[in-house]
Amino acid sequence: MSALGKAAGALKSVDYEVFGRVQVSHYFPNQYTEQEAKKLGVVGWVKNTRQGTVTGQVQGPEEKVNEMKSWLSKVGSPSSRIDKTNFSNEKEISKLDFSDFNTRY
């Protein structure tokens, strides 16, 4: 799709789940996810699961959401090892559902 075909300022929402060594002891790498999200200017949430994965949702301008997706897939926290990241429910949205990015417990 050409740049002209895209709506200016399109907002995007995507759910994610990160697999690998992504939860380390009692120091949650979610802090790094939250810091990266705030640095990029996206909103949403992150949470550790009982299965040892990290799950959440990211919303914001399409370009910034794509940058966060790349970070979740390739970088993560300094102590993590990312084996795979699944993205689902990716869609364009008309408004943000969140005002900030935070960690859920």
Side-chain angles (χ1 to χ4, degrees):
M1 179 179 286
S2 73
L4 294 174
K6 287 190 170 183
L11 296 175
K12 191 171 171 181
S13 176
V14 66
D15 298 338
Y16 62 88
E17 186 168 13
V18 184
F19 298 82
R21 190 169 63 89
V22 293
Q23 292 183 20
V24 183
S25 71
H26 293 291
Y27 181 72
F28 298 142
N30 293 344
Q31 173 187 342
Y32 291 99
T33 305
E34 197 171 314
Q35 286 175 351
E36 185 67 16
K38 288 178 179 183
K39 182 177 98 177
L40 291 174
V42 294
V43 298
W45 56 274
V46 61
K47 179 181 179 178
N48 289 328
T49 70
R50 290 185 176 168
Q51 294 74 35
T53 64
V54 172
T55 188
Q57 186 176 60
V58 176
Q59 294 183 348
E62 184 173 11
E63 179 183 316
K64 298 299 182 182
V65 169
N66 289 340
E67 287 180 47
M68 189 69 188
K69 284 174 62 179
S70 178
W71 187 88
L72 288 164
S73 299
K74 300 173 185 166
V75 182
S77 70
S79 57
S80 68
R81 184 197 74 241
I82 299 168
D83 293 336
K84 172 177 77 166
T85 305
N86 287 346
F87 296 100
S88 60
N89 300 320
E90 191 163 341
K91 60 190 173 201
E92 200 168 289
I93 56 175
S94 59
K95 66 179 183 62
L96 300 173
D97 294 326
F98 310 97
S99 59
D100 200 358
F101 194 97
N102 57 54
T103 300
R104 291 186 177 175
Y105 298 96

XYZ file of all heavy atoms in Angstrom:
829
model
N 0.852 -1.178 0.000
C 0.000 0.000 0.000
C 0.899 1.242 0.000
O 1.858 1.324 0.743
C -0.889 -0.031 1.242
C -1.802 1.161 1.339
S -2.878 1.090 2.806
C -4.041 -0.146 2.301
N 0.587 2.206 -0.803
C 1.391 3.422 -0.880
C 1.162 4.299 0.340
O 0.178 4.154 1.060
C 1.032 4.204 -2.141
O -0.231 4.804 -1.979
N 2.072 5.228 0.549
C 1.943 6.146 1.674
C 0.661 6.962 1.550
O 0.039 7.308 2.545
C 3.160 7.058 1.752
N 0.264 7.263 0.322
C -0.963 8.035 0.119
C -2.198 7.224 0.475
O -3.224 7.772 0.843
C -1.057 8.505 -1.333
C 0.003 9.514 -1.774
C -0.122 9.789 -3.261
C -0.117 10.800 -0.983
N -2.090 5.901 0.368
C -3.225 5.037 0.664
C -3.447 4.834 2.150
O -4.479 4.347 2.568
N -2.467 5.192 2.962
C -2.590 5.021 4.402
C -3.145 6.293 5.032
O -2.783 7.384 4.640
C -1.228 4.721 5.019
C -0.746 3.338 4.728
C 0.472 3.037 5.558
C 0.812 1.574 5.446
N 1.930 1.226 6.288
N -3.990 6.122 6.021
C -4.530 7.282 6.728
C -3.414 7.923 7.544
O -2.661 7.233 8.217
C -5.673 6.844 7.639
N -3.320 9.216 7.477
C -2.309 9.923 8.262
C -2.604 9.739 9.740
O -3.743 9.877 10.171
C -2.307 11.396 7.903
N -1.587 9.391 10.499
C -1.763 9.229 11.936
C -2.565 8.008 12.326
O -3.183 7.998 13.374
N -2.570 6.974 11.480
C -3.322 5.762 11.784
C -2.835 5.140 13.080
O -1.635 5.048 13.327
C -3.186 4.770 10.634
N -3.778 4.734 13.924
C -3.458 4.075 15.178
C -3.609 2.576 15.012
O -4.494 2.106 14.294
C -4.389 4.564 16.294
C -4.279 6.032 16.674
C -5.351 6.385 17.700
C -2.895 6.361 17.218
N -2.771 1.846 15.707
C -2.751 0.398 15.584
C -2.759 -0.219 16.978
O -2.232 0.362 17.926
C -1.469 0.021 14.838
C -1.346 -1.386 14.373
C -0.119 -1.449 13.466
C 0.260 -2.832 13.084
N 1.451 -2.837 12.237
N -3.350 -1.402 17.088
C -3.369 -2.167 18.328
C -2.930 -3.590 18.020
O -3.308 -4.146 16.982
C -4.783 -2.185 18.916
O -4.825 -3.004 20.077
N -2.118 -4.177 18.897
C -1.691 -5.562 18.706
C -1.466 -6.222 20.062
O -0.981 -5.586 20.998
C -0.415 -5.654 17.819
C 0.783 -5.026 18.502
C -0.125 -7.077 17.407
N -1.877 -7.481 20.173
C -1.606 -8.297 21.355
C -0.328 -9.078 21.082
O -0.024 -9.398 19.927
C -2.746 -9.285 21.608
C -4.067 -8.598 21.895
O -4.064 -7.420 22.315
O -5.114 -9.239 21.690
N 0.421 -9.416 22.147
C 1.661 -10.162 21.959
C 1.889 -11.151 23.085
O 1.352 -11.013 24.184
C 2.863 -9.209 21.855
C 3.104 -8.377 23.085
C 3.896 -8.838 24.125
C 2.513 -7.126 23.228
C 4.103 -8.078 25.268
C 2.723 -6.354 24.361
C 3.515 -6.837 25.376
O 3.710 -6.085 26.503
N 2.691 -12.174 22.782
C 3.169 -13.112 23.789
C 4.601 -13.467 23.418
O 4.879 -13.852 22.290
C 2.305 -14.369 23.854
C 2.702 -15.286 24.990
C 1.699 -16.391 25.260
O 0.802 -16.617 24.427
O 1.814 -17.034 26.327
N 5.505 -13.318 24.392
C 6.922 -13.552 24.166
C 7.322 -14.847 24.871
O 7.040 -15.029 26.054
C 7.773 -12.374 24.688
C 9.242 -12.586 24.364
C 7.290 -11.049 24.112
N 7.991 -15.737 24.118
C 8.426 -17.033 24.629
C 9.950 -17.066 24.721
O 10.632 -16.447 23.908
C 7.976 -18.157 23.682
C 6.485 -18.269 23.545
C 5.792 -17.433 22.675
C 5.779 -19.212 24.265
C 4.411 -17.534 22.530
C 4.394 -19.317 24.133
C 3.720 -18.479 23.266
N 10.469 -17.823 25.668
C 11.906 -17.975 25.849
C 12.237 -17.858 27.321
O 11.418 -18.177 28.187
N 13.444 -17.390 27.620
C 13.808 -17.126 29.020
C 13.520 -15.653 29.237
O 14.392 -14.803 29.104
C 15.281 -17.449 29.266
C 15.650 -17.436 30.742
C 17.031 -18.002 30.983
N 18.046 -17.184 30.328
C 18.650 -16.142 30.873
N 18.336 -15.762 32.101
N 19.559 -15.456 30.215
N 12.255 -15.366 29.531
C 11.809 -13.971 29.586
C 11.373 -13.534 30.991
O 11.070 -12.374 31.200
C 10.681 -13.689 28.562
C 11.223 -13.790 27.154
C 9.507 -14.635 28.740
N 11.350 -14.467 31.924
C 11.079 -14.134 33.324
C 12.278 -14.630 34.117
O 12.574 -15.813 34.112
C 9.826 -14.840 33.840
C 8.548 -14.365 33.227
C 7.336 -15.055 33.848
O 7.406 -15.593 34.939
N 6.239 -15.038 33.134
N 12.983 -13.730 34.774
C 14.197 -14.099 35.498
C 14.036 -13.765 36.978
O 13.841 -12.609 37.331
C 15.419 -13.370 34.906
C 16.687 -13.804 35.614
C 15.527 -13.650 33.413
N 14.113 -14.767 37.830
C 13.975 -14.673 39.281
C 12.832 -13.727 39.668
O 11.787 -13.725 39.040
C 15.301 -14.264 39.933
O 15.593 -12.914 39.656
N 13.040 -12.917 40.691
C 11.974 -12.021 41.132
C 12.135 -10.628 40.562
O 11.376 -9.730 40.876
C 11.917 -11.963 42.664
C 11.501 -13.266 43.253
N 10.234 -13.766 43.124
C 12.202 -14.198 43.937
C 10.152 -14.937 43.715
N 11.334 -15.225 44.207
N 13.151 -10.440 39.740
C 13.326 -9.144 39.090
C 12.641 -9.224 37.734
O 13.104 -9.907 36.835
C 14.804 -8.805 38.918
C 14.995 -7.465 38.278
C 14.734 -6.305 38.988
C 15.380 -7.361 36.955
C 14.876 -5.066 38.396
C 15.527 -6.135 36.359
C 15.284 -4.993 37.092
O 15.417 -3.787 36.502
N 11.529 -8.599 37.597
C 10.730 -8.738 36.389
C 11.297 -7.907 35.245
O 11.463 -6.700 35.379
C 9.281 -8.314 36.635
C 8.586 -9.135 37.661
C 7.704 -8.556 38.542
C 8.802 -10.492 37.750
C 7.046 -9.311 39.493
C 8.156 -11.260 38.691
C 7.271 -10.662 39.572
N 11.585 -8.537 34.119
C 12.049 -7.779 32.958
C 10.960 -6.885 32.379
O 11.217 -6.124 31.459
C 12.475 -8.861 31.964
C 11.839 -10.112 32.423
C 11.559 -9.971 33.884
N 9.762 -6.950 32.941
C 8.678 -6.089 32.457
C 9.033 -4.618 32.595
O 8.530 -3.780 31.854
C 7.381 -6.376 33.215
C 6.849 -7.752 32.906
O 7.255 -8.379 31.949
N 5.954 -8.221 33.716
N 9.894 -4.289 33.540
C 10.324 -2.907 33.720
C 10.962 -2.397 32.424
O 10.737 -1.262 32.021
C 11.323 -2.809 34.866
C 11.955 -1.441 35.004
C 13.074 -1.434 36.045
O 13.168 -2.319 36.880
N 13.907 -0.444 35.968
N 11.737 -3.241 31.756
C 12.386 -2.839 30.511
C 11.358 -2.653 29.397
O 11.475 -1.744 28.586
C 13.443 -3.871 30.095
C 14.618 -3.883 31.030
C 14.714 -4.843 32.020
C 15.616 -2.920 30.928
C 15.789 -4.857 32.889
C 16.695 -2.921 31.795
C 16.776 -3.886 32.774
O 17.836 -3.885 33.646
N 10.348 -3.519 29.382
C 9.283 -3.391 28.386
C 8.548 -2.079 28.586
O 8.285 -1.343 27.630
C 8.306 -4.581 28.488
O 9.050 -5.793 28.361
C 7.235 -4.504 27.410
N 8.252 -1.772 29.834
C 7.551 -0.526 30.159
C 8.404 0.689 29.762
O 7.903 1.642 29.164
C 7.243 -0.505 31.658
C 6.194 0.491 32.056
C 5.764 0.326 33.512
O 5.511 -0.811 33.959
O 5.680 1.366 34.194
N 9.699 0.636 30.064
C 10.599 1.747 29.710
C 10.666 1.942 28.194
O 10.613 3.075 27.710
C 12.013 1.486 30.239
C 12.150 1.673 31.717
C 13.542 1.286 32.210
O 14.351 0.729 31.488
N 13.802 1.573 33.472
N 10.776 0.843 27.454
C 10.862 0.943 25.993
C 9.574 1.503 25.416
O 9.591 2.351 24.526
C 11.183 -0.429 25.387
C 11.408 -0.406 23.902
C 12.662 0.351 23.464
O 13.545 0.623 24.298
O 12.753 0.674 22.265
N 8.444 1.033 25.924
C 7.143 1.513 25.448
C 7.004 3.014 25.684
O 6.567 3.750 24.792
C 6.017 0.753 26.140
N 7.390 3.460 26.859
C 7.276 4.885 27.180
C 8.242 5.708 26.329
O 7.908 6.809 25.897
C 7.496 5.103 28.672
C 6.308 4.584 29.471
C 6.474 4.730 30.963
C 5.211 4.211 31.649
N 5.224 4.357 33.080
N 9.427 5.165 26.074
C 10.400 5.855 25.225
C 9.842 6.033 23.804
O 9.987 7.089 23.203
C 11.706 5.054 25.178
C 12.810 5.694 24.362
C 14.080 4.880 24.434
C 14.144 4.020 23.193
N 15.367 3.229 23.105
N 9.154 4.993 23.310
C 8.586 5.049 21.957
C 7.276 5.831 21.904
O 6.840 6.230 20.829
C 8.354 3.635 21.420
C 9.606 2.831 21.105
C 9.229 1.401 20.729
C 10.399 3.485 19.980
N 6.624 6.002 23.044
C 5.361 6.731 23.064
C 4.150 5.885 22.740
O 3.153 6.384 22.220
N 4.231 4.572 23.052
C 3.068 3.699 22.859
C 2.434 3.422 24.224
O 3.053 3.644 25.268
C 3.448 2.373 22.161
C 3.908 2.635 20.743
C 4.500 1.599 22.937
N 1.193 2.965 24.216
C 0.460 2.669 25.445
C 0.053 1.206 25.449
O 0.107 0.527 24.426
C -0.784 3.580 25.601
C -0.378 5.045 25.692
C -1.777 3.364 24.464
N -0.382 0.725 26.618
C -0.825 -0.661 26.739
C -0.389 -1.257 28.053
O -0.302 -0.563 29.064
N -0.051 -2.551 28.019
C 0.309 -3.240 29.253
C 1.171 -4.461 28.965
O 1.252 -4.926 27.830
C -0.938 -3.636 30.039
C -1.909 -4.486 29.272
C -2.909 -4.039 28.445
C -1.973 -5.914 29.241
N -3.593 -5.106 27.908
C -3.035 -6.274 28.382
C -1.249 -6.922 29.853
C -3.381 -7.604 28.125
C -1.591 -8.251 29.600
C -2.652 -8.564 28.750
N 1.806 -4.958 30.032
C 2.636 -6.160 29.979
C 2.391 -6.959 31.253
O 2.104 -6.383 32.304
C 4.141 -5.811 29.820
C 4.647 -4.993 30.988
C 4.983 -7.061 29.607
N 2.469 -8.295 31.156
C 2.215 -9.144 32.316
C 2.957 -10.462 32.163
O 3.017 -11.031 31.071
C 0.708 -9.412 32.412
C 0.307 -10.301 33.566
C -1.198 -10.524 33.568
C -1.588 -11.429 34.719
N -3.029 -11.625 34.787
N 3.523 -10.961 33.266
C 4.095 -12.303 33.291
C 2.964 -13.310 33.398
O 1.987 -13.065 34.112
C 5.019 -12.484 34.496
C 6.303 -11.702 34.355
O 6.802 -11.511 33.258
N 6.844 -11.259 35.470
N 3.094 -14.446 32.721
C 2.085 -15.502 32.824
C 2.621 -16.647 33.674
O 3.831 -16.770 33.882
C 1.703 -16.063 31.435
O 2.818 -16.803 30.916
C 1.292 -14.947 30.476
N 1.749 -17.494 34.120
C 2.152 -18.669 34.905
C 2.900 -19.672 34.043
O 3.578 -20.549 34.565
C 0.921 -19.326 35.531
C 0.320 -18.473 36.617
C -0.811 -19.171 37.302
N -1.292 -18.329 38.399
C -2.397 -18.532 39.040
N -3.159 -19.550 38.732
N -2.758 -17.725 40.021
N 2.767 -19.571 32.736
C 3.450 -20.483 31.824
C 4.886 -20.040 31.533
O 5.590 -20.683 30.757
C 2.678 -20.598 30.498
C 1.315 -21.256 30.618
C 0.262 -20.356 31.264
O 0.253 -19.145 31.082
N -0.625 -20.955 32.036
N 5.323 -18.932 32.139
C 6.687 -18.461 31.941
C 6.865 -17.562 30.732
O 7.989 -17.271 30.331
N 5.764 -17.108 30.150
C 5.839 -16.182 29.020
C 5.502 -14.774 29.507
O 5.121 -14.584 30.655
C 4.865 -16.576 27.890
O 3.522 -16.466 28.366
C 5.130 -17.994 27.392
N 5.650 -13.823 28.623
C 5.247 -12.447 28.889
C 4.195 -12.093 27.848
O 4.380 -12.355 26.652
C 6.454 -11.486 28.805
C 6.011 -10.040 28.881
C 7.446 -11.794 29.919
N 3.089 -11.538 28.280
C 2.001 -11.213 27.375
C 1.586 -9.761 27.574
O 1.894 -9.159 28.602
C 0.803 -12.168 27.598
O -0.168 -11.955 26.585
C 0.166 -11.978 28.953
N 0.892 -9.203 26.588
C 0.427 -7.831 26.734
C -0.218 -7.299 25.476
O -0.524 -8.044 24.545
N -0.400 -5.991 25.482
C -1.014 -5.298 24.346
C -0.303 -3.961 24.159
O 0.069 -3.316 25.144
C -2.493 -5.072 24.602
C -3.237 -4.491 23.404
C -4.728 -4.385 23.685
O -5.144 -3.711 24.608
N -5.518 -5.077 22.881
N -0.106 -3.594 22.907
C 0.520 -2.320 22.560
C -0.418 -1.569 21.629
O -0.982 -2.147 20.701
C 1.876 -2.527 21.844
C 2.465 -1.204 21.405
C 2.851 -3.258 22.733
N -0.575 -0.252 21.863
C -1.375 0.611 20.997
C -0.621 1.908 20.763
O 0.087 2.386 21.646
C -2.721 0.939 21.640
C -3.629 -0.241 21.816
C -4.969 0.150 22.395
O -5.184 1.256 22.873
N -5.909 -0.787 22.345
N -0.817 2.463 19.585
C -0.209 3.748 19.274
C -0.115 3.953 17.779
O -0.701 3.191 16.999
N 0.635 4.974 17.364
C 0.838 5.205 15.934
C 1.482 3.970 15.306
O 2.357 3.329 15.904
C 1.784 6.406 15.893
C 1.605 7.086 17.214
C 1.298 5.982 18.190
N 1.054 3.628 14.106
C 1.494 2.394 13.443
C 3.017 2.235 13.437
O 3.539 1.170 13.765
C 0.951 2.349 12.017
C 1.289 1.073 11.297
C 0.610 0.942 9.956
O 0.025 1.933 9.455
O 0.668 -0.156 9.387
N 3.730 3.291 13.104
C 5.194 3.221 13.034
C 5.801 2.873 14.391
O 6.724 2.068 14.491
C 5.748 4.562 12.537
C 7.252 4.610 12.454
C 7.754 5.982 12.016
O 7.179 6.563 11.064
O 8.704 6.469 12.642
N 5.271 3.470 15.452
C 5.788 3.222 16.805
C 5.427 1.817 17.288
O 6.226 1.157 17.962
C 5.268 4.274 17.790
C 5.695 5.684 17.452
C 7.199 5.822 17.481
C 7.650 7.239 17.189
N 9.103 7.358 17.161
N 4.235 1.351 16.965
C 3.831 -0.016 17.324
C 4.755 -1.007 16.617
O 5.203 -1.988 17.219
C 2.346 -0.271 16.994
C 2.011 -1.753 17.113
C 1.448 0.547 17.917
N 5.075 -0.745 15.357
C 5.979 -1.628 14.626
C 7.370 -1.643 15.250
O 8.026 -2.692 15.305
C 6.048 -1.237 13.149
C 4.768 -1.576 12.414
O 3.973 -2.410 12.854
N 4.540 -0.920 11.298
N 7.837 -0.500 15.737
C 9.132 -0.442 16.426
C 9.081 -1.268 17.708
O 10.038 -1.981 18.038
C 9.509 1.003 16.753
C 9.938 1.813 15.553
C 10.306 3.250 15.931
O 11.054 3.445 16.914
O 9.836 4.171 15.247
N 7.975 -1.190 18.439
C 7.834 -1.966 19.671
C 7.768 -3.457 19.358
O 8.343 -4.271 20.088
C 6.592 -1.499 20.438
C 6.464 -2.088 21.818
S 7.747 -1.446 22.916
C 7.487 -2.471 24.359
N 7.089 -3.827 18.279
C 7.027 -5.235 17.868
C 8.435 -5.767 17.588
O 8.774 -6.885 17.984
C 6.148 -5.395 16.619
C 4.665 -5.306 16.898
C 3.843 -5.321 15.624
C 4.006 -6.598 14.848
N 3.184 -6.619 13.623
N 9.235 -4.970 16.921
C 10.610 -5.368 16.628
C 11.396 -5.551 17.924
O 12.132 -6.536 18.094
C 11.268 -4.322 15.727
O 12.603 -4.669 15.465
N 11.247 -4.632 18.858
C 11.941 -4.721 20.147
C 11.514 -5.979 20.905
O 12.349 -6.694 21.465
C 11.662 -3.459 20.966
C 12.458 -3.382 22.229
C 13.709 -2.848 22.379
C 12.066 -3.850 23.528
N 14.113 -2.970 23.686
C 13.126 -3.574 24.414
C 10.928 -4.472 24.018
C 13.082 -3.906 25.764
C 10.877 -4.802 25.371
C 11.944 -4.523 26.221
N 10.200 -6.262 20.912
C 9.689 -7.445 21.600
C 10.185 -8.737 20.961
O 10.326 -9.755 21.635
C 8.152 -7.436 21.602
C 7.484 -6.411 22.514
C 6.013 -6.243 22.138
C 7.633 -6.816 23.981
N 10.455 -8.712 19.665
C 10.887 -9.905 18.937
C 12.390 -10.137 19.001
O 12.842 -11.282 18.955
C 10.498 -9.797 17.456
O 9.115 -9.689 17.313
N 13.164 -9.047 19.080
C 14.612 -9.175 18.892
C 15.467 -8.715 20.059
O 16.611 -9.134 20.190
C 15.035 -8.380 17.655
C 14.370 -8.853 16.393
C 14.675 -7.938 15.233
C 13.893 -8.385 14.010
N 13.881 -7.398 12.966
N 14.962 -7.826 20.910
C 15.809 -7.218 21.938
C 15.394 -7.677 23.334
O 16.104 -8.438 23.975
C 15.786 -5.670 21.841
C 16.700 -5.058 22.882
C 16.170 -5.216 20.445
N 14.276 -7.193 23.821
C 13.813 -7.543 25.162
C 14.709 -6.996 26.246
O 15.545 -6.122 26.006
N 14.554 -7.527 27.452
C 15.377 -7.070 28.576
C 16.785 -7.654 28.450
O 16.986 -8.661 27.777
C 14.741 -7.492 29.895
O 14.842 -8.891 30.064
N 17.759 -7.027 29.107
C 19.147 -7.497 28.995
C 19.346 -8.957 29.404
O 20.205 -9.634 28.871
C 19.911 -6.565 29.939
C 19.072 -5.359 30.055
C 17.657 -5.823 29.916
N 18.545 -9.456 30.346
C 18.733 -10.825 30.834
C 17.846 -11.848 30.123
O 17.854 -13.021 30.475
C 18.450 -10.857 32.339
O 17.150 -10.376 32.590
N 17.099 -11.420 29.121
C 16.171 -12.344 28.471
C 16.794 -13.029 27.259
O 17.772 -12.573 26.691
C 14.900 -11.604 28.044
O 15.183 -10.700 27.005
N 16.182 -14.160 26.892
C 16.493 -14.836 25.643
C 15.143 -15.061 24.951
O 14.298 -15.801 25.450
C 17.177 -16.181 25.889
C 17.596 -16.866 24.570
C 17.896 -18.346 24.751
N 16.650 -19.093 24.919
C 16.346 -19.794 26.006
N 17.152 -19.854 27.029
N 15.188 -20.437 26.074
N 14.939 -14.401 23.846
C 13.661 -14.493 23.142
C 13.743 -15.606 22.108
O 14.576 -15.568 21.206
C 13.318 -13.152 22.467
C 13.204 -12.056 23.525
C 12.032 -13.273 21.648
C 13.155 -10.654 22.962
N 12.886 -16.618 22.264
C 12.832 -17.709 21.293
C 11.820 -17.418 20.196
O 12.029 -17.750 19.036
C 12.454 -19.026 21.982
C 13.541 -19.505 22.937
O 14.718 -19.123 22.766
O 13.202 -20.263 23.865
N 10.702 -16.815 20.592
C 9.615 -16.575 19.641
C 8.687 -15.517 20.217
O 8.495 -15.456 21.425
C 8.864 -17.897 19.436
C 7.597 -17.825 18.637
C 6.980 -19.196 18.442
C 6.268 -19.662 19.687
N 5.374 -20.808 19.490
N 8.110 -14.692 19.355
C 7.084 -13.738 19.769
C 5.889 -13.901 18.846
O 6.040 -13.860 17.626
C 7.605 -12.286 19.712
O 8.796 -12.192 20.490
C 6.575 -11.320 20.266
N 4.731 -14.133 19.434
C 3.494 -14.239 18.662
C 2.722 -12.928 18.770
O 2.573 -12.387 19.872
C 2.602 -15.360 19.198
C 3.129 -16.733 18.852
O 4.007 -16.885 18.007
N 2.601 -17.743 19.514
N 2.241 -12.447 17.627
C 1.394 -11.260 17.593
C 0.022 -11.679 17.090
O -0.094 -12.483 16.171
C 1.998 -10.196 16.672
C 3.330 -9.693 17.161
C 4.505 -10.169 16.613
C 3.402 -8.765 18.185
C 5.734 -9.732 17.080
C 4.627 -8.319 18.661
C 5.794 -8.801 18.102
N -1.031 -11.124 17.704
C -2.397 -11.474 17.304
C -3.302 -10.254 17.446
O -2.921 -9.261 18.062
C -2.919 -12.633 18.164
O -2.924 -12.263 19.527
N -4.482 -10.371 16.871
C -5.492 -9.301 16.945
C -4.950 -7.953 16.488
O -5.308 -6.909 17.041
C -6.064 -9.175 18.364
C -6.729 -10.447 18.826
O -7.407 -11.117 18.065
N -6.504 -10.820 20.069
N -4.079 -7.966 15.495
C -3.522 -6.710 14.991
C -4.577 -6.006 14.160
O -5.145 -6.585 13.240
C -2.276 -6.992 14.156
C -1.497 -5.748 13.830
C -0.080 -6.043 13.381
O 0.434 -7.143 13.637
O 0.505 -5.148 12.768
N -4.842 -4.746 14.512
C -5.905 -4.015 13.812
C -5.691 -2.517 13.930
O -4.998 -2.037 14.832
C -7.268 -4.400 14.385
C -7.394 -4.074 15.869
C -8.654 -4.670 16.481
C -8.645 -4.458 17.973
N -9.504 -5.362 18.678
N -6.313 -1.793 13.014
C -6.325 -0.335 13.085
C -7.440 0.054 14.044
O -8.505 -0.555 14.058
C -6.571 0.244 11.697
C -6.129 1.681 11.578
C -6.116 2.162 10.132
O -5.244 1.726 9.371
O -7.006 2.964 9.803
N -7.172 1.062 14.876
C -8.167 1.519 15.850
C -8.399 3.016 15.674
O -7.547 3.725 15.134
C -7.733 1.201 17.303
C -6.350 1.794 17.610
C -7.742 -0.305 17.546
C -5.897 1.638 19.055
N -9.552 3.488 16.128
C -9.877 4.911 15.979
C -9.411 5.743 17.170
O -9.206 6.943 17.056
C -11.375 5.101 15.770
O -12.081 4.572 16.871
N -9.251 5.075 18.341
C -8.758 5.785 19.520
C -8.039 4.804 20.427
O -8.269 3.594 20.356
C -9.891 6.482 20.269
C -10.904 5.546 20.900
C -11.968 6.322 21.644
C -12.956 5.428 22.334
N -12.416 4.560 23.373
N -7.171 5.340 21.293
C -6.420 4.514 22.231
C -7.303 4.084 23.394
O -8.120 4.866 23.882
C -5.212 5.290 22.771
C -4.204 5.769 21.732
C -3.155 6.660 22.382
C -3.543 4.588 21.029
N -7.133 2.844 23.851
C -7.885 2.339 24.995
C -7.171 2.609 26.314
O -7.741 2.390 27.385
C -8.099 0.832 24.868
C -8.998 0.477 23.694
O -9.922 1.250 23.393
O -8.761 -0.582 23.076
N -5.906 3.033 26.249
C -5.095 3.252 27.443
C -4.485 4.644 27.389
O -4.311 5.204 26.317
C -3.970 2.208 27.534
C -4.451 0.800 27.375
C -4.372 0.153 26.143
C -5.001 0.101 28.448
C -4.823 -1.149 25.984
C -5.451 -1.199 28.299
C -5.367 -1.825 27.061
N -4.127 5.182 28.556
C -3.485 6.497 28.594
C -1.996 6.382 28.901
O -1.270 7.366 28.841
C -4.159 7.383 29.637
O -4.074 6.773 30.920
N -1.533 5.173 29.240
C -0.144 4.957 29.628
C 0.223 3.511 29.332
O -0.624 2.735 28.889
C -0.009 5.242 31.139
C 1.419 5.534 31.570
O 2.339 5.485 30.718
O 1.628 5.812 32.760
N 1.457 3.134 29.618
C 1.887 1.737 29.510
C 2.276 1.291 30.903
O 3.047 1.973 31.582
C 3.086 1.607 28.560
C 3.342 0.187 28.155
C 2.845 -0.302 26.962
C 4.042 -0.670 28.977
C 3.048 -1.632 26.591
C 4.259 -2.001 28.614
C 3.762 -2.472 27.418
N 1.711 0.171 31.364
C 2.041 -0.286 32.711
C 2.113 -1.794 32.814
O 1.739 -2.510 31.899
C 1.048 0.293 33.733
C -0.376 -0.058 33.400
O -0.689 -1.224 33.229
N -1.239 0.929 33.306
N 2.624 -2.231 33.949
C 2.751 -3.653 34.254
C 1.527 -4.107 35.028
O 1.123 -3.458 35.986
C 4.031 -3.908 35.091
O 5.162 -3.482 34.319
C 4.173 -5.375 35.447
N 0.967 -5.228 34.601
C -0.167 -5.825 35.307
C 0.340 -7.011 36.115
O 1.273 -7.694 35.712
C -1.239 -6.298 34.323
C -1.928 -5.148 33.628
C -3.069 -5.652 32.787
N -3.780 -4.531 32.176
C -4.768 -4.668 31.319
N -5.185 -5.861 30.959
N -5.373 -3.603 30.822
N -0.333 -7.272 37.238
C 0.069 -8.398 38.107
C -1.054 -9.378 38.268
O -2.171 -9.118 38.038
C 0.494 -7.863 39.480
C 1.696 -6.948 39.369
C 1.533 -5.561 39.303
C 2.964 -7.474 39.317
C 2.633 -4.732 39.191
C 4.072 -6.639 39.200
C 3.897 -5.278 39.146
O 4.978 -4.454 39.028
